[in-house]
């Protein structure tokens, strides 16, 4: 596929309700929509970098720079038929996984459209629906949190993740557990603790949680291993796992017993699949994390999560949990059994609503092969 034309669109989309984590509060979620044209076909990708460097050092600003000034010149006018070829070309660009992953997603979409297959088919995904949960941000108080959780349970979600931070952890989680004794419940700290301050989390071990996600530093594996030894509850790594190599280190060190896979964080869907495969061999369950994606990134997450070792419910909620208006014509809805259907159309299986893209656009740039 000759890469003829690349369009970047910086989007800012109002969330249905603010989303607060240990690193900050988001009311408008930013991202970069990637559009690639090749041989009469159009592929879409979503770069999940947000406005602020709270989750990752990458931002919409840094991703824009890397995409425009480094990745575009490498790929425009080139024959790129698969993800492996793309990754070889960008191997000289260190880091910037969120930027690279946005392009890789668009290349998968193109490839699916060219070969007449859905992403799920290209990946060898086995499920046609995926078990999902909801990630609930920090609320005003434990009581408000219980109410927020209750609202999602009423919608049919059967697995809940709550965000925690120092001072807002044991009481919040205990309140939810007390209100819903049977609920599949997990917590996510987004790196808000040190090995020392994480000692206050010890009571969480009695709450029958599915997992404790990323308690320590975003670049740590070693101290997580020490912490895992002190907890019965599985530790799950998110931020710390940037590649299949990191996943192997963490597994071999017993720094975690579960891994959250996000294609953006690891540099693309191909690396996400490699982590899935490694974890499958090593009997480590994985689940698909989320970055408040638009319909484009959500479709990609659904295809990824159709792979067999995604054995825990993903942070992939229905479109209405995030956006009143999305950029895709398709909206994802929750089935009664807390699952979402995997798209079956070609490639990602979604189409864009150009008026919505225009409405949320903060700026766009068109790059063409010379
Ligand atoms: O740590 O999993 C995270 C959203 C943005 C950045 C980081 C995280 C999250 C979420 C939301 O938890 C998951 C979703 O998309 O629903
Ligand atoms: Mg997380």
């Amino acid at each position: 596929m000759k890469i003829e034309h690349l369009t970047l669109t910086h989007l800012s989309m109002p969330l249905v309700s603010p989303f607060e984590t240990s690193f900050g509060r988001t009311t408008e979620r930013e991202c970069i929509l990637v559009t690639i044209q090749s041989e009469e076909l159009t592929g879409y990708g979503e770069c999940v970098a947000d406005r602020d460097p709270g989750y990752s050092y990458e931002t919409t600003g840094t991703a824009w720079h890397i995409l425009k000034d480094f990745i575009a010149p490498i790929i425009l006018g080139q024959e790129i038929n698969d993800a492996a070829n793309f990754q070889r070309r960008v191997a000289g660009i260190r880091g910037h996984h969120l930027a690279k992953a946005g392009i890789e997603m668009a290349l998968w979409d193109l490839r699916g459209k060219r070969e007449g297959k859905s992403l799920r088919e290209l990946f060898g995904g086995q499920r046609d629906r995926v078990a999902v949960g909801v990630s609930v941000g920090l609320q005003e108080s434990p009581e408000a949190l219980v109410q927020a959780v209750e609202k999602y349970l009423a919608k049919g979600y059967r697995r809940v993740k709550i965000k925690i931070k120092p001072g807002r952890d044991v009481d919040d989680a205990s309140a939810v557990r007390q209100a819903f004794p049977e609920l599949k419940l997990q917590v996510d700290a987004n790196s808000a603790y040190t090995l020392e301050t994480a000692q206050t989390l010890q009571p969480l071990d009695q709450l029958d949680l599915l997992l404790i996600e990323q308690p320590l530093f975003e670049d740590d594996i070693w101290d997580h291993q020490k912490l895992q030894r002190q907890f019965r509850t599985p530790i799950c790594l998110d931020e710390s796992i940037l590649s299949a190599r990191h996943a192997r280190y963490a597994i071999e060190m017993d720094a975690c017993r579960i891994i959250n896979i996000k294609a953006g964080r690891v540099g693309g869907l191909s690396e996400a699949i490699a982590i899935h495969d490694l974890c499958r061999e090593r009997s480590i369950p994985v689940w698909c994390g989320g970055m408040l994606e638009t319909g484009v990134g959500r479709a990609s997450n659904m295809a990824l999560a159709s792979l067999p070792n995604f054995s825990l419910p993903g942070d992939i909620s229905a479109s209405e949990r995030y956006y009143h208006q999305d950029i895709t014509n398709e909206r994802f809805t929750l089935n009664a059994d807390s699952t979402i259907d995997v798209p079956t159309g070609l490639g990602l299986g979604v189409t864009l609503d150009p008026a919505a893209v225009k409405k949320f656009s903060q700026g766009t740039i068109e790059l063409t092969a010379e």
Side-chain angles (χ1 to χ4, degrees):
M1 302 181 290
K2 186 171 175 191
I3 309 303
E4 290 154 4
H5 199 81
L6 171 67
T7 308
L8 304 177
T9 308
H10 177 182
L11 299 174
S12 179
M13 300 184 41
L15 287 167
V16 163
S17 54
F19 186 68
E20 186 170 338
T21 67
S22 63
F23 60 80
R25 186 179 166 94
T26 309
T27 49
E28 300 245 335
R29 188 256 181 182
E30 297 194 12
C31 67
I32 299 171
L33 173 68
V34 173
T35 306
I36 296 180
Q37 258 133 7
S38 165
E39 297 157 16
E40 319 279 276
L41 293 172
T42 304
Y44 302 112
E46 177 170 346
C47 166
V48 298
D50 205 343
R51 191 192 63 181
D52 302 325
Y55 170 79
S56 159
Y57 66 85
E58 291 183 79
T59 65
T60 39
T62 70
W64 189 270
H65 166 52
I66 294 294
L67 288 164
K68 172 168 94 46
D69 298 326
F70 294 97
I71 299 181
I74 293 178
I75 65 170
L76 280 170
Q78 304 299 312
E79 274 300 324
I80 302 181
N81 290 312
D82 57 27
N85 183 304
F86 167 69
Q87 291 294 345
R88 275 196 299 279
R89 290 173 191 270
V90 296
I93 300 171
R94 290 225 198 272
H96 298 285
H97 285 184
L98 306 185
K100 291 174 185 172
I103 299 278
E104 206 200 280
M105 192 190 298
L107 293 173
W108 279 106
D109 189 29
L110 271 175
R111 185 173 153 198
K113 286 166 176 166
R114 199 185 44 154
E115 296 181 15
K117 291 188 175 141
S118 66
L119 244 59
R120 176 190 148 195
E121 286 174 284
L122 290 178
F123 296 167
Q126 287 163 11
R127 311 187 172 94
D128 54 14
R129 35 176 51 196
V130 163
V132 302
V134 61
S135 174
V136 183
L138 289 158
Q139 307 290 317
E140 291 283 300
S141 62
E143 296 71 39
L145 175 63
V146 168
Q147 275 179 20
V149 169
E150 195 159 27
K151 196 190 81 188
Y152 288 117
L153 297 183
K155 296 219 177 261
Y157 291 102
R158 290 291 168 264
R159 189 232 68 183
V160 169
K161 162 167 130 180
I162 63 167
K163 293 289 187 177
I164 59 169
K165 68 176 184 181
R168 296 298 310 279
D169 40 39
V170 173
D171 289 353
D172 280 39
S174 301
V176 176
R177 174 50 83 220
Q178 208 174 0
F180 311 106
E182 306 291 326
L183 177 63
K184 284 187 191 166
L185 180 65
Q186 60 194 60
V187 298
D188 186 1
N190 288 110
S191 300
Y193 298 84
T194 65
L195 189 55
E196 290 70 36
T197 61
Q199 297 308 315
T200 59
L201 298 178
Q202 215 32 263
L204 292 183
D205 227 10
Q206 309 308 319
L207 297 181
D208 197 22
L209 303 179
L210 287 176
L211 56 90
I212 300 171
E213 185 176 348
Q214 195 71 36
L216 310 180
F217 298 99
E218 83 288 353
D219 60 353
D220 174 84
I221 295 179
W222 183 249
D223 278 356
H224 278 106
Q225 175 262 144
K226 292 191 179 172
L227 195 68
Q228 178 67 86
R229 275 195 274 154
Q230 303 169 2
F231 281 77
R232 261 187 323 146
T233 309
I235 287 180
C236 168
L237 293 180
D238 173 354
E239 284 89 330
S240 295
I241 305 299
L242 300 178
S243 64
R245 194 165 47 76
H246 287 171
R248 181 171 63 76
Y249 297 162
I251 295 166
E252 290 178 359
M253 281 194 233
D254 194 27
C256 67
R257 302 201 170 135
I258 295 174
I259 291 179
N260 163 329
I261 300 184
K262 293 179 182 170
R265 192 191 71 224
V266 303
L269 285 159
S270 56
E271 191 72 8
I273 294 167
I275 295 175
H276 164 274
D277 295 350
L278 170 81
C279 289
R280 195 180 192 197
E281 275 167 35
R282 307 284 178 106
S283 303
I284 296 290
V286 303
W287 55 284
C288 185
M291 293 289 286
L292 311 174
E293 286 86 351
T294 72
V296 173
R298 195 163 313 286
S300 167
N301 285 342
M302 289 300 303
L304 182 63
S306 73
L307 289 168
N309 192 40
F310 280 87
S311 48
L312 291 165
D315 271 352
I316 314 171
S317 309
S319 306
E320 65 161 24
R321 181 254 176 273
Y322 307 93
Y323 304 109
H324 290 302
Q325 188 182 5
D326 205 337
I327 58 166
T328 54
N329 294 310
E330 298 73 17
R331 282 181 78 82
F332 292 83
T333 55
L334 190 70
N335 299 317
D337 59 352
S338 197
T339 64
I340 294 181
D341 295 341
V342 180
T344 54
L346 302 188
L348 288 167
V350 290
T351 57
L352 287 196
D353 171 355
V357 173
K358 197 168 165 205
K359 177 172 170 186
F360 299 125
S361 172
Q362 304 291 301
T364 186
I365 183 169
E366 310 253 349
L367 302 157
T368 308
E370 319 237 312

